[in-house]
Amino acid sequence: MTPLIEDTAKPGRAGTDSHDGSAPPSATTKRSSRLVNGYKWWIPWVFLLPTIVAVLAFLIVPLTAGLFIAFTEWNVVSGIGGIRWVGFGNFQELFQDDMFWSSAVRTLFYAGVGTPLAVTCGMFLGLALNRPMPARGVIRAIFFLPSLVNVIAAGTVWLTLLNPRSGMVNQFLRAVGLDNPPGWFTSQQWALPAIVLMSVWVSAGYVAILIIAALQDLPTELYESAKLDGAGTIRQFTTITFPGLVPVLTFLLITSFIGRSQGFGLIQFMTSGGPGDATTVLSYYMYEVGFHWYRFGYAASIGVMSMLAVLALSIALFKLQRGRGLYT
Amino acid sequence: MITSNQRLSRRGLLGGALGLTAGVGALSACGPGDGGGSGDEPPEDMGSAEEGRLVVWGGLPPEMGPQALVDAFTAKYPDIEVEYVRFVNNAEGILKLDTALQGGVPIDVFFSYGTVDVVRRAQAGLALDLTDLAREDDLAQVFVQDEPISTLIDGKLYSIPTTHWPQFVVLNQDAMESAGIEIPFDWTVEDYHRVAREFKSAGFDVGAYHPPRMASTSLGGDYIYKNGGQESNLDDPLFKQELELILAMEDDGSIFTQERITAEQLGGYVQNYFVDGTFPMYIDGTTALRFLKNLDEYPHDFRTTFRPYPAPTAGADYFNPGVRGDDVQISSKSQYPSAAWTFVKFWIDEGANHMSPAGKVSPYQFDNPTDEMMDALFGPERDRLFNVDDFHETFFVPEPPLSVRSITTAYTEIASLKSQIEDEIRLRTKSVDDGIAEMKQEADAAIADWLG
C-alpha cells in the first residue's frame, strides 16, 4: 500500500474531499482528497503568471501609461523627468484644434464608408463563391490573396493603377468617354475615396471567407422547407440567409470599423496624409504630432479621444444588431 | 557680394539669438530639462584623451565610410575602442536614438541631422557643453568665434558640424552643349527659369526637378521667423513671389507638376531621373557625387557639370540654403568624454577623408582641399564623368554664405503645415493668397502655443 492510501485512510480525514459529504469514499476520491489536502492557494497563480505578466506588460501598463501621458506635456527627449502635468489642457486644446476635427471627419468617412462597403462587397463575393463552380477553391484563394499581400506591394500596384495620367483606371475612363477622370491620390477630393477603394479591395476577400464559413453553418432544412413553401431566391436570402449572417456581419462590421479607425499603414505609404491634409486621418495625425512634433502628451490625448469614440460607436453597432439575427 | 559671417551677424544672428533664447525657453517649458542628465552630476571620466571605450551612433551605413574611419581611428589610438551603430535618419530612427539616449543605452557620441535635433537634444541635457573644449582647441575654436558659423545655443556649443554642405545646381553638360545653352556662374532665378524652359524645348520631359527658392536665399536660415521667433514671417512678399514662380514653372513645363510628383512618388529618387535623361538639371549638394560616380547602379555616359545656387535677383546679396551640418554631439552621460572629444576631432580632421566617398566634405577639408579628397569625392573616372574645374568654381567659394539656423520655435509644426499648404497651392486647390494667409495664421498659432 502506498503512503498516499495510508495517509488518507486515517480516521477523521475521510469524506473531507466530498463536495457535499454524501458520496462514499473510494480509492479515487481518496486520491483526489490527497491532492486537495495538499492544495496551495498560489499554485493556480503560478500557471496564470505568464498570462498575467503578458497582459500587464503589453496591455494594462501601456494603456495606463497612455492615459497618464494624455494629461501631460512630454517631448520624450527630456526623459521621464521632463514630463509636465497639464491636466485637461491637451483635451481643451483638442477641442479647439481644427486639424483634429477635420481628421476625425476624415476618419469617420474612411471607416464609416469603407467598412459597410467592404462588408457588403465581401458578403456578395462570399455568396457568389459559395455556389458550386469549377476550381472553386482556386477562385476563392485568388479573391483571398489581397488580404495576404504586403501593404507596400498592394500600394505600389494601386499607385500604378490609379496614376491620373498613365494608370489603367483612368485610361479606361477616358476610353469610355470621361474627359476629366479623377486625379485619385494626387487630388484632394479623390485621395481619400481612392484609399477607401483600395482598402475595400484588400479586405473583401477576408470578409468573403468568413461569410462562406457562416453560410456553411446555416441549417439546410430551413432552405428545404422554404422551397417547399414556394419561397424564391430573394425570399430565401431575406428570410434565412441574411438573418443567419447577422452575427458574423456584426462581428465583421465592428472589427473592420475598429481596424479602419486605426488605419495607418496604407495612408502612411500611399499619401503620407496628403495631398495637403486630404488623407490625414486621426491615426496619422496622432503619429505626426507624436513622432514628428514630439508632443507625446497631445498625441496620447488624440489616441484617448479616438479610442473613446471607437468604443462608443462599436457599442452602438453591437446594440443595433441585437435581436436581429436568425438565432437571437 | 557679401562676406558670410558679416552678413549673418548683421541680419539674423543677433535677433536670432533672442529668438533662440525664446525657443529654448519654450523647449524648457515642455519639460524641466532635467530628465536627460543635465540635472545629474557629470559621470566621472573613466578614460583619457587616448584611452576609453566609445559607442558611436550615426546615420550613414558603416560601409559608406564610418567603418573605415573607425578603423583608422583605432589604428592611431589603439587604447580607444569604438563601436559604430547605424540608425536610419528618419522619424523612427530619430526616435530610437532619442529614447536610447534618455533610456540609459550607453552612447558616447551621436549625430544630429538638422538644427531642430541639435537644439532639442542639447536642451534636454543629453549633449555635453563643448564650449570650453572648443575654445582651447586650435581645430575647433572656429565654432566658438564671435560670429557663429553653426548652431549655438545660448551662446554655447553643443555640437560640431562635420560637413560643409552648400547646395548647388547639378547639370548635364552634354545636354547643355548640344542645346547651345550658356549658363554663367553668377546667374539668377530668372536665368534658371529660362534655362529650364530651354531644356524643355530641347526635348527633355521637364527642364529641372527643383524650383529655386527665393525666401530662404534672400532672408537666410531663419527666414520663416520675424521678431526673433515671436512671429512667423510667412507674409513676407518673397513667399508669394516664390510660389508664383513655382506655379509658372509648372505651367510652362520647366519643372514637374506637384500632381506628377505625388502620383509617381518621385521624391527621394531624383538622381535616377537625372541619370536616365528625364531632366538635365537639379539642385543638390556633394552627396549627388556619390550616385553620379557609381556607374554600376546609375549607368550613364554624359558628363556632369555644376553651377552655384542662383541668386534671387541680380547683384543682390543672398544666402546659400545649404548648411554646415551632420552635427556630432557627445553624450552628457558618456563615461569617456575625453576619448569622445578625441574621436570627434579625428572625424572632422584627418578622419574626414574616409567620409569623402560618401560625398561628405568636412569644414576643414573645405578650407584645405586635397587631391586625396577630390579623388574620393569623384571616383576613378572623375575627368570623364565630371567637370571638376566647374565644381571648383561652384563649390570652393566663400559666397554666397551658408545659412545658419538659430531659431527653432515650433519649427517642425511650421515646416509640416507649410509643406501641406504648398502642396495644395501647387495642386491648384488653394490660391496663393489664401494659402499664404492660412500658413501665416497657423504658423503664428503654432508659435503662440509653443511659447505658451
Side-chain angles (χ1 to χ4, degrees):
Chain A
M1 192 171 284
T2 64
L4 173 70
I5 301 299
E6 279 178 356
D7 185 39
T8 53
K10 283 177 185 171
R13 301 290 299 272
T16 54
D17 57 322
S18 172
H19 293 294
D20 58 7
S22 59
S26 67
T28 309
T29 52
K30 279 178 185 169
R31 193 177 294 271
S32 302
S33 158
R34 170 70 174 114
L35 289 174
V36 170
N37 288 334
Y39 170 81
K40 300 280 189 265
W41 66 268
W42 46 265
I43 289 176
W45 292 103
V46 170
F47 289 100
L48 284 172
L49 194 63
T51 308
I52 292 170
V53 169
V55 169
L56 273 175
F58 299 113
L59 194 66
I60 307 296
V61 170
L63 264 177
T64 315
L67 197 62
F68 170 75
I69 291 168
F71 292 93
T72 68
E73 190 70 58
W74 185 36
N75 70 358
V76 91
V77 185
S78 56
I80 301 296
I83 295 176
R84 190 166 62 92
W85 183 261
V86 294
F88 284 94
N90 286 329
F91 293 93
Q92 282 171 347
E93 191 180 336
L94 267 189
F95 283 100
Q96 294 163 354
D97 182 352
D98 293 341
M99 190 59 150
F100 169 73
W101 289 111
S102 57
S103 304
V105 170
R106 280 188 285 269
T107 307
L108 208 59
F109 177 84
Y110 178 56
V113 173
T115 303
L117 205 57
V119 172
T120 308
C121 290
M123 183 181 75
F124 285 111
L125 188 62
L127 289 168
L129 294 177
N130 196 43
R131 301 176 73 83
M133 66 181 82
R136 190 168 64 170
V138 175
I139 294 171
R140 283 179 180 175
I142 288 170
F143 279 100
F144 186 60
L145 268 179
S147 55
L148 301 177
V149 171
N150 179 288
V151 70
I152 305 295
T156 307
V157 169
W158 278 86
L159 279 172
T160 311
L161 285 174
L162 294 181
N163 185 302
R165 293 193 328 156
S166 56
M168 278 173 62
V169 173
N170 276 10
Q171 284 189 25
F172 170 77
L173 292 175
R174 282 192 198 96
V176 297
L178 197 66
D179 290 336
N180 290 307
W184 302 115
F185 297 114
T186 67
S187 148
Q188 285 196 281
Q189 288 77 32
W190 285 99
L192 197 55
I195 299 253
V196 169
L197 187 68
M198 187 189 156
S199 72
V200 169
W201 174 80
V202 167
S203 54
Y206 169 75
V207 173
I209 291 296
L210 291 193
I211 294 289
I212 290 168
L215 286 172
Q216 288 168 1
D217 274 350
L218 290 181
T220 50
E221 57 269 27
L222 289 178
Y223 289 98
E224 286 159 8
S225 307
K227 278 178 194 164
L228 285 174
D229 291 340
T233 311
I234 294 174
R235 183 74 174 164
Q236 285 178 42
F237 175 77
T238 54
T239 54
I240 304 172
T241 310
F242 186 75
L245 291 178
V246 163
V248 74
L249 288 174
T250 308
F251 166 79
L252 284 166
L253 278 172
I254 292 174
T255 52
S256 296
F257 187 84
I258 293 171
R260 272 160 210 276
S261 306
Q262 299 162 349
F264 177 78
L266 274 182
I267 287 166
Q268 159 80 343
F269 174 69
M270 307 289 287
T271 60
S272 297
D277 56 6
T279 56
T280 301
V281 293
L282 276 178
S283 55
Y284 190 82
Y285 185 46
M286 185 169 72
Y287 164 78
E288 195 170 49
V289 168
F291 295 99
H292 287 177
W293 302 1
Y294 285 91
R295 293 194 62 197
F296 283 87
Y298 195 56
S301 69
I302 296 171
V304 168
M305 290 299 287
S306 175
M307 185 190 74
L308 291 176
V310 169
L311 190 67
L313 286 166
S314 302
I315 291 170
L317 269 176
F318 187 74
K319 289 202 165 176
L320 268 177
Q321 68 84 38
R322 207 179 261 177
R324 291 171 195 271
L326 184 65
Y327 309 113
T328 46
Chain B
M1 298 295 256
I2 56 177
T3 59
S4 62
N5 297 336
Q6 287 296 329
R7 178 57 184 270
L8 289 171
S9 161
R10 251 199 334 264
R11 186 185 287 271
L13 290 172
L14 286 176
L18 289 171
L20 182 61
T21 310
V24 160
L27 275 165
S28 303
C30 286
D34 59 358
S38 65
D40 305 331
E41 284 296 310
E44 186 184 346
D45 192 341
M46 295 177 67
S48 66
E50 298 198 1
E51 189 179 300
R53 185 182 302 137
L54 304 175
V55 177
V56 179
W57 280 44
L60 270 180
E63 67 276 10
M64 290 186 72
Q67 192 57 54
L69 185 148
V70 167
D71 292 344
F73 179 78
T74 45
K76 183 173 181 183
Y77 298 97
D79 293 327
I80 303 180
E81 188 184 324
V82 181
E83 179 191 352
Y84 181 83
V85 178
R86 194 240 177 152
F87 72 97
V88 181
N89 185 34
N90 57 19
E92 292 77 19
I94 289 168
L95 181 71
K96 187 176 168 186
L97 173 57
D98 285 342
T99 48
L101 280 169
Q102 60 97 357
V105 175
I107 299 173
D108 298 280
V109 176
F110 57 90
F111 278 79
S112 294
Y113 301 92
T115 313
V116 172
D117 286 343
V118 171
V119 174
R120 268 185 329 107
R121 288 167 184 155
Q123 280 306 305
L126 299 172
L128 204 65
D129 179 357
L130 305 174
T131 316
D132 293 338
L133 285 168
R135 278 205 185 107
E136 292 163 12
D137 190 275
D138 291 344
L139 197 68
Q141 61 180 254
V142 65
F143 298 113
V144 286
Q145 62 186 359
D146 292 340
E147 293 173 22
I149 57 169
S150 66
T151 308
L152 291 181
I153 298 159
D154 267 347
K156 290 182 179 176
L157 182 75
Y158 288 89
S159 67
I160 303 279
T162 62
T163 58
H164 182 97
W165 201 84
Q167 291 187 30
F168 48 76
V169 180
V170 181
L171 283 148
N172 179 330
Q173 181 171 308
D174 292 5
M176 264 173 71
E177 287 168 357
S178 64
I181 299 171
E182 295 281 333
I183 306 178
F185 281 81
D186 57 347
W187 63 336
T188 63
V189 165
E190 199 181 326
D191 295 329
Y192 182 95
H193 188 181
R194 175 184 50 79
V195 167
R197 280 199 307 266
E198 287 173 5
F199 276 132
K200 168 79 177 168
S201 304
F204 284 93
D205 210 346
V206 287
Y209 181 78
H210 299 95
R213 296 292 173 171
M214 300 179 79
S216 56
T217 46
S218 299
L219 302 171
D222 293 325
Y223 68 106
I224 56 175
Y225 299 100
K226 61 174 113 180
N227 300 329
Q230 304 284 318
E231 187 187 351
S232 81
N233 191 35
L234 297 166
D235 55 349
D236 189 293
L238 282 163
F239 287 94
K240 181 174 179 180
Q241 217 175 316
E242 179 178 304
L243 283 163
E244 285 172 344
L245 171 72
I246 292 171
L247 297 186
M249 291 185 82
E250 282 192 353
D251 287 342
D252 63 21
S254 300
I255 55 171
F256 284 130
T257 60
Q258 182 63 40
E259 183 187 276
R260 186 165 173 196
I261 292 169
T262 307
E264 298 179 19
Q265 301 211 323
L266 299 177
Y269 304 100
V270 178
Q271 64 277 356
N272 297 28
Y273 296 87
F274 177 71
V275 164
D276 75 9
T278 304
F279 52 76
M281 178 162 82
Y282 74 108
I283 296 167
D284 204 338
T286 43
T287 36
L289 307 176
R290 185 161 89 209
F291 307 111
L292 298 176
K293 71 183 171 193
N294 179 355
L295 292 178
D296 292 335
E297 290 181 49
Y298 301 92
H300 63 286
D301 55 9
F302 60 81
R303 208 163 176 232
T304 297
T305 188
F306 310 89
R307 288 294 182 275
Y309 204 100
T313 46
D317 295 338
Y318 71 111
F319 293 90
N320 187 302
V323 291
R324 290 177 189 85
D326 289 16
D327 288 55
V328 63
Q329 300 187 279
I330 297 176
S331 168
S332 57
K333 293 178 181 174
S334 172
Q335 295 185 320
Y336 304 95
S338 300
W341 181 238
T342 303
F343 181 75
V344 166
K345 287 194 295 175
F346 184 86
W347 188 294
I348 54 176
D349 187 17
E350 57 195 289
N353 277 338
H354 296 285
M355 302 304 294
S356 298
K360 306 285 183 183
V361 176
S362 84
Y364 294 97
Q365 288 175 303
F366 176 75
D367 289 338
N368 310 288
T370 61
D371 287 341
E372 188 188 0
M373 180 195 84
M374 295 300 282
D375 287 345
L377 274 180
F378 289 101
E381 295 198 67
R382 72 176 190 179
D383 292 325
R384 182 170 79 82
L385 292 175
F386 300 100
N387 187 328
V388 180
D389 290 341
D390 283 0
F391 178 80
H392 271 279
E393 206 172 333
T394 296
F395 184 76
F396 291 109
V397 289
E399 296 165 355
L402 290 180
S403 294
V404 175
R405 292 186 191 130
S406 59
I407 309 178
T408 58
T409 315
Y411 183 86
T412 324
E413 289 95 321
I414 296 173
S416 171
L417 71 91
K418 184 170 173 287
S419 155
Q420 275 183 4
I421 295 171
E422 272 187 17
D423 265 11
E424 294 177 58
I425 292 170
R426 290 184 70 172
L427 289 168
R428 313 305 198 265
T429 53
K430 198 162 269 175
S431 72
V432 172
D433 286 335
D434 288 350
I436 283 179
E438 191 179 332
M439 260 189 232
K440 165 75 177 159
Q441 185 193 345
E442 291 194 19
D444 284 348
I447 290 171
D449 276 353
W450 191 262
L451 296 176

